[in-house]
Amino acid sequence: MNVLVPFDARDPKSRLEPVLDAEERLTYATVLLEHVLETVQKAGHDPMVLATDSISVAGSVIIDDRPLTPAVNDWLADRSDPVAIVMADLGLVTMTALETLFESQGDVVIAPGLAGGTNALVVRDPDFRVDYHGTSFLDHRQAAADIGASVTLSDSFRLAVDVDEPADLVEVLVHAEGPPAAWLREQGFELETDGQRPAVRRT
Amino acid sequence: MNVLVPFDARDPKSRLEPVLDAEERLTYATVLLEHVLETVQKAGHDPMVLATDSISVAGSVIIDDRPLTPAVNDWLADRSDPVAIVMADLGLVTMTALETLFESQGDVVIAPGLAGGTNALVVRDPDFRVDYHGTSFLDHRQAAADIGASVTLSDSFRLAVDVDEPADLVEVLVHAEGPPAAWLREQGFELETDGQRPAVRRT
C-alpha cells in the first residue's frame, strides 16, 4: 500500500517554540518524520513524503507548497488503489500499531488524534477527500458518510499522540522507543515528576 | 474476572473546577463511574467499586477512606485470582476496548493513560502491587519487572483518555457515546472549533 506522509518543511512544530529554537524544531521534525517512514517500511509498506519544500530525507518526496488539505486531495485524486495517509509527527508510532491500522477493514479507516484530529487514514474509496482543518475527525466521518463509504475506527493510543506541544514530549519520554525519545534526551530533556502531572525539563 | 473501579467520593474531578461546580463535579463523576461499571458488565465481568465514602450507585461497593494506592493494594493482597483495576473516569471506554484489554495475555497488562498514568490494569501475578503516585506507568512496569512478572501493553486511545481537565471534555464530546457525552450536552457544553484546537464552551 502507498502511504503518504505529509510534512511541513518550512516552519514545522511551531508550537514547540517554548522549548526548541527554529533549527532544533526542524531537526526534531525530521527525526520524527524519519521514524515514521522507517516504521511504515517495517510494517511492509511504501512511504512517500509530501513536503511543502525540498527536504533532506532518504526516500521518495513529492514537493507541493500548498496547504495540507488541497495537496493531499490532489494526490488522492490521482489514485484508485487503497492508500494511507499518516502524519509525520507520531512519535509513539510502532510497527504493530500501523499493522493493525492497515489491516483494519472498511472503506475509510480513521485513527483519531487527540483534540479531534486525524492522525492516520486508510482510504479504500477513491471518492474520499480529506479536510484537515478544524475537528478533522468529525469532518472525515461525515465526508465518508456523504459518499456512502463505511468507516472503521482504529483504537490506538500510539497513533493518537502527535507531537505538537511541550506536554506531548512527556508522552514521548514515557512511551517512545528509538530516535524520537533518544534525540530529546540528547538535547537534555528529561521527565520532571515532582508535580501532580509529569512535565519535561531541559538541563 | 473481578474488576475493581476505585472512586473518589469526596472531592472528585477537582481539576474540572474551572467549568463545573462541586455538586456538578460529583454528579458527572458518578455519571462516568456508572458508564464504566455498565461497560465492564457488558464486557462480561463483575465490577466492584472501591469508594472513599458511601455513594449512591447500583452494584457492590467497598468503602475505604485511605488513599488510592494502599486501598487498592489491600484489596489485591486478599486475592489470588486474576483481577483488573479500571479507573472510574474513562469517558471514552467501550466494551471492545475492555474486551481487548481483558483478553491480553501477560502477568500484568497495562493500559496507559495520558501523562504517564495507568488507566487500567490486569493483574495475574498475586505479588504485584500498584503505585498510582507520580508517573505510575513507569512505576508499574518497574514493579512488574521487580517480581519477574511479564508485562503486556494494551494500546488503546479509548482507555488512554481519562476525564481530568477541561481539555479532556473535548475528547468526550468528539468521541464518547452514551451518558458521558449526553450529560455534558445537557449542561450546555458544546465544541468550540473556531481556534487552532477545539475547546469546549458552555452556553
Side-chain angles (χ1 to χ4, degrees):
Chain A
M1 182 150 58
N2 283 295
V3 179
L4 194 70
V5 182
F7 183 73
D8 172 8
R10 290 184 172 164
D11 184 23
K13 302 293 112 206
S14 53
R15 284 191 280 156
L16 289 177
E17 195 184 350
V19 294
L20 293 173
D21 68 30
E23 189 184 332
E24 290 169 332
R25 293 199 300 277
L26 180 56
T27 301
Y28 191 46
T30 307
V31 167
L32 292 168
L33 169 66
E34 287 175 338
H35 179 64
V36 170
L37 297 177
E38 198 172 292
T39 310
V40 169
Q41 282 170 326
K42 279 186 192 161
H45 295 276
D46 301 318
M48 165 86 75
V49 180
L50 176 68
T52 51
D53 206 340
S54 63
I55 55 169
S56 170
V57 71
S60 308
V61 179
I62 305 166
I63 296 176
D64 188 328
D65 65 359
R66 288 176 298 167
L68 182 60
T69 294
V72 169
N73 281 336
D74 259 25
W75 183 80
L76 281 173
D78 289 339
R79 319 207 64 93
S80 57
D81 46 328
V83 297
I85 303 151
V86 176
M87 293 295 106
D89 57 356
L90 306 187
L92 275 58
V93 70
T94 60
M95 191 182 71
T96 305
L98 284 182
E99 283 173 344
T100 302
L101 168 77
F102 295 145
E103 287 163 10
S104 296
Q105 301 300 306
D107 297 331
V108 177
V109 184
I110 308 178
L114 290 167
T118 304
N119 282 357
L121 278 167
V122 175
V123 179
R124 299 193 180 95
D125 185 319
D127 293 330
F128 182 80
R129 294 292 177 270
V130 298
D131 179 0
Y132 283 105
H133 187 77
T135 315
S136 68
F137 173 80
L138 296 176
D139 296 336
H140 288 145
R141 284 226 301 207
Q142 187 59 49
D146 289 346
I147 59 169
S150 66
V151 173
T152 303
L153 303 183
S154 186
D155 178 24
S156 170
F157 166 61
R158 292 199 159 268
L159 298 181
V161 174
D162 45 356
V163 181
D164 277 330
E165 303 185 343
D168 300 325
L169 302 183
V170 170
E171 306 301 338
V172 175
L173 288 176
V174 171
H175 294 285
E177 287 152 24
W183 187 89
L184 287 180
R185 292 201 179 97
E186 280 160 22
Q187 310 309 310
F189 285 93
E190 57 186 26
L191 282 175
E192 184 171 65
T193 55
D194 308 336
Q196 192 177 23
R197 302 206 112 186
V200 291
R201 71 177 155 223
R202 193 170 184 179
T203 55
Chain B
M1 180 153 55
N2 282 295
V3 179
L4 193 71
V5 182
F7 183 73
D8 172 8
R10 292 186 170 163
D11 183 22
K13 304 290 113 209
S14 53
R15 283 191 280 155
L16 288 178
E17 195 184 348
V19 294
L20 293 173
D21 68 29
E23 189 184 334
E24 289 170 331
R25 294 200 298 277
L26 179 57
T27 302
Y28 191 46
T30 307
V31 167
L32 291 168
L33 170 66
E34 286 174 339
H35 179 63
V36 169
L37 297 176
E38 199 172 291
T39 311
V40 168
Q41 281 169 328
K42 280 186 191 162
H45 296 276
D46 301 319
M48 165 85 76
V49 180
L50 176 67
T52 51
D53 207 341
S54 62
I55 55 170
S56 170
V57 71
S60 309
V61 179
I62 305 167
I63 296 176
D64 189 329
D65 65 358
R66 288 175 299 166
L68 181 60
T69 294
V72 170
N73 282 335
D74 259 24
W75 184 80
L76 281 173
D78 288 338
R79 318 207 66 94
S80 56
D81 47 327
V83 296
I85 303 150
V86 175
M87 293 296 106
D89 59 356
L90 306 187
L92 274 59
V93 71
T94 60
M95 191 183 72
T96 306
L98 284 182
E99 284 174 341
T100 302
L101 169 76
F102 295 145
E103 288 164 9
S104 296
Q105 301 301 306
D107 297 331
V108 177
V109 184
I110 308 177
L114 289 167
T118 303
N119 282 357
L121 277 168
V122 176
V123 179
R124 299 192 180 96
D125 184 319
D127 293 331
F128 183 80
R129 294 294 177 271
V130 298
D131 179 0
Y132 284 104
H133 186 77
T135 314
S136 68
F137 173 79
L138 296 176
D139 296 337
H140 288 145
R141 282 227 304 205
Q142 187 60 49
D146 289 347
I147 59 169
S150 66
V151 172
T152 303
L153 302 183
S154 187
D155 179 24
S156 170
F157 167 61
R158 292 197 161 269
L159 298 181
V161 174
D162 44 357
V163 180
D164 278 329
E165 305 184 344
D168 300 325
L169 302 182
V170 170
E171 306 300 339
V172 175
L173 288 175
V174 172
H175 294 285
E177 288 152 25
W183 187 89
L184 287 180
R185 291 200 180 96
E186 280 160 22
Q187 309 309 310
F189 285 94
E190 57 186 27
L191 281 176
E192 182 171 66
T193 54
D194 308 338
Q196 191 177 26
R197 304 206 110 186
V200 290
R201 69 174 157 226
R202 193 170 184 180
T203 55

Short mmCIF file of all heavy atoms in Angstrom, two decimals, chain B residues 139-162:
data_model
loop_
_atom_site.label_atom_id
_atom_site.label_comp_id
_atom_site.label_asym_id
_atom_site.label_seq_id
_atom_site.Cartn_x
_atom_site.Cartn_y
_atom_site.Cartn_z
N ASP B 139 6.31 3.28 36.88
CA ASP B 139 6.43 2.57 38.16
C ASP B 139 5.82 1.16 38.07
O ASP B 139 6.37 0.21 38.65
CB ASP B 139 5.74 3.37 39.28
CG ASP B 139 6.43 4.71 39.51
OD1 ASP B 139 7.62 4.84 39.17
OD2 ASP B 139 5.77 5.63 40.03
N HIS B 140 4.71 1.04 37.37
CA HIS B 140 4.08 -0.28 37.26
C HIS B 140 4.91 -1.23 36.40
O HIS B 140 4.99 -2.42 36.68
CB HIS B 140 2.65 -0.14 36.73
CG HIS B 140 1.72 0.45 37.75
ND1 HIS B 140 0.68 1.28 37.43
CD2 HIS B 140 1.70 0.34 39.10
CE1 HIS B 140 0.04 1.65 38.54
NE2 HIS B 140 0.66 1.09 39.56
N ARG B 141 5.53 -0.68 35.35
CA ARG B 141 6.43 -1.53 34.55
C ARG B 141 7.58 -2.03 35.41
O ARG B 141 7.97 -3.20 35.35
CB ARG B 141 6.98 -0.73 33.36
CG ARG B 141 6.01 -0.57 32.23
CD ARG B 141 6.64 -0.88 30.90
NE ARG B 141 7.82 -0.04 30.68
CZ ARG B 141 8.28 0.27 29.49
NH1 ARG B 141 7.67 -0.18 28.40
NH2 ARG B 141 9.34 1.02 29.34
N GLN B 142 8.13 -1.11 36.22
CA GLN B 142 9.26 -1.48 37.08
C GLN B 142 8.81 -2.48 38.16
O GLN B 142 9.53 -3.45 38.45
CB GLN B 142 9.85 -0.22 37.72
CG GLN B 142 11.12 -0.47 38.51
CD GLN B 142 12.23 -1.05 37.63
OE1 GLN B 142 12.50 -0.53 36.55
NE2 GLN B 142 12.83 -2.16 38.07
N ALA B 143 7.64 -2.24 38.74
CA ALA B 143 7.15 -3.13 39.80
C ALA B 143 6.94 -4.55 39.27
O ALA B 143 7.23 -5.53 39.96
CB ALA B 143 5.82 -2.59 40.37
N ALA B 144 6.47 -4.66 38.02
CA ALA B 144 6.31 -5.98 37.41
C ALA B 144 7.67 -6.62 37.19
O ALA B 144 7.88 -7.80 37.52
CB ALA B 144 5.54 -5.86 36.10
N ALA B 145 8.62 -5.83 36.67
CA ALA B 145 9.96 -6.37 36.43
C ALA B 145 10.59 -6.85 37.73
O ALA B 145 11.25 -7.90 37.78
CB ALA B 145 10.84 -5.31 35.77
N ASP B 146 10.35 -6.10 38.80
CA ASP B 146 10.97 -6.44 40.10
C ASP B 146 10.51 -7.79 40.63
O ASP B 146 11.23 -8.43 41.41
CB ASP B 146 10.63 -5.35 41.14
CG ASP B 146 11.37 -4.05 40.87
OD1 ASP B 146 12.31 -4.05 40.05
OD2 ASP B 146 10.98 -3.01 41.48
N ILE B 147 9.31 -8.23 40.25
CA ILE B 147 8.84 -9.53 40.74
C ILE B 147 8.89 -10.58 39.63
O ILE B 147 8.33 -11.67 39.78
CB ILE B 147 7.40 -9.44 41.33
CG1 ILE B 147 6.41 -8.94 40.27
CG2 ILE B 147 7.37 -8.56 42.58
CD1 ILE B 147 4.94 -9.08 40.67
N GLY B 148 9.55 -10.23 38.52
CA GLY B 148 9.69 -11.20 37.42
C GLY B 148 8.39 -11.46 36.68
O GLY B 148 8.24 -12.51 36.03
N ALA B 149 7.46 -10.52 36.74
CA ALA B 149 6.18 -10.68 36.03
C ALA B 149 6.30 -10.12 34.62
O ALA B 149 6.90 -9.06 34.41
CB ALA B 149 5.07 -9.95 36.81
N SER B 150 5.71 -10.83 33.65
CA SER B 150 5.72 -10.33 32.27
C SER B 150 4.72 -9.17 32.15
O SER B 150 3.70 -9.15 32.83
CB SER B 150 5.35 -11.44 31.30
OG SER B 150 4.01 -11.85 31.50
N VAL B 151 5.06 -8.22 31.27
CA VAL B 151 4.20 -7.05 31.08
C VAL B 151 3.73 -6.98 29.63
O VAL B 151 4.53 -7.13 28.72
CB VAL B 151 4.95 -5.74 31.43
CG1 VAL B 151 4.11 -4.52 31.05
CG2 VAL B 151 5.30 -5.70 32.90
N THR B 152 2.47 -6.78 29.44
CA THR B 152 1.90 -6.54 28.12
C THR B 152 1.30 -5.13 28.12
O THR B 152 0.65 -4.75 29.10
CB THR B 152 0.80 -7.57 27.79
OG1 THR B 152 1.37 -8.87 27.89
CG2 THR B 152 0.24 -7.36 26.40
N LEU B 153 1.53 -4.39 27.05
CA LEU B 153 0.93 -3.06 26.95
C LEU B 153 -0.31 -3.15 26.07
O LEU B 153 -0.27 -3.73 25.00
CB LEU B 153 1.93 -2.07 26.36
CG LEU B 153 3.24 -1.95 27.14
CD1 LEU B 153 4.14 -0.89 26.52
CD2 LEU B 153 2.97 -1.64 28.60
N SER B 154 -1.39 -2.60 26.55
CA SER B 154 -2.64 -2.56 25.79
C SER B 154 -2.71 -1.19 25.12
O SER B 154 -2.67 -0.16 25.80
CB SER B 154 -3.81 -2.78 26.73
OG SER B 154 -5.02 -2.92 26.00
N ASP B 155 -2.78 -1.18 23.81
CA ASP B 155 -2.68 0.07 23.05
C ASP B 155 -4.06 0.58 22.68
O ASP B 155 -4.62 0.18 21.66
CB ASP B 155 -1.85 -0.16 21.79
CG ASP B 155 -1.75 1.10 20.95
OD1 ASP B 155 -1.90 2.20 21.51
OD2 ASP B 155 -1.52 0.98 19.72
N SER B 156 -4.63 1.44 23.51
CA SER B 156 -5.99 1.92 23.26
C SER B 156 -6.11 3.40 23.56
O SER B 156 -5.85 3.86 24.68
CB SER B 156 -6.98 1.14 24.13
OG SER B 156 -8.25 1.74 24.07
N PHE B 157 -6.52 4.15 22.56
CA PHE B 157 -6.85 5.57 22.74
C PHE B 157 -8.03 5.71 23.69
O PHE B 157 -8.05 6.58 24.57
CB PHE B 157 -7.17 6.16 21.36
CG PHE B 157 -7.83 7.51 21.38
CD1 PHE B 157 -7.20 8.61 21.92
CD2 PHE B 157 -9.08 7.68 20.80
CE1 PHE B 157 -7.81 9.86 21.91
CE2 PHE B 157 -9.69 8.93 20.78
CZ PHE B 157 -9.06 10.01 21.35
N ARG B 158 -9.01 4.83 23.56
CA ARG B 158 -10.23 4.94 24.38
C ARG B 158 -9.97 4.69 25.85
O ARG B 158 -10.69 5.21 26.70
CB ARG B 158 -11.31 4.00 23.85
CG ARG B 158 -11.80 4.48 22.48
CD ARG B 158 -13.11 3.86 22.09
NE ARG B 158 -13.74 4.65 21.05
CZ ARG B 158 -14.60 5.64 21.26
NH1 ARG B 158 -14.97 5.96 22.47
NH2 ARG B 158 -15.12 6.32 20.25
N LEU B 159 -8.94 3.90 26.14
CA LEU B 159 -8.58 3.70 27.54
C LEU B 159 -7.56 4.73 28.01
O LEU B 159 -7.35 4.90 29.20
CB LEU B 159 -8.02 2.29 27.74
CG LEU B 159 -8.97 1.13 27.43
CD1 LEU B 159 -8.28 -0.21 27.70
CD2 LEU B 159 -10.26 1.23 28.24
N ALA B 160 -6.91 5.40 27.08
CA ALA B 160 -5.84 6.35 27.46
C ALA B 160 -6.38 7.69 27.94
O ALA B 160 -5.69 8.42 28.63
CB ALA B 160 -4.89 6.58 26.28
N VAL B 161 -7.62 8.00 27.56
CA VAL B 161 -8.19 9.30 27.92
C VAL B 161 -8.97 9.17 29.22
O VAL B 161 -9.97 8.46 29.28
CB VAL B 161 -9.12 9.83 26.81
CG1 VAL B 161 -9.82 11.11 27.26
CG2 VAL B 161 -8.33 10.07 25.52
N ASP B 162 -8.52 9.83 30.26
CA ASP B 162 -9.35 9.95 31.46
C ASP B 162 -9.82 11.40 31.55
O ASP B 162 -9.21 12.30 31.00
CB ASP B 162 -8.62 9.50 32.73
CG ASP B 162 -7.20 10.02 32.82
OD1 ASP B 162 -6.75 10.68 31.86
OD2 ASP B 162 -6.54 9.78 33.84
#
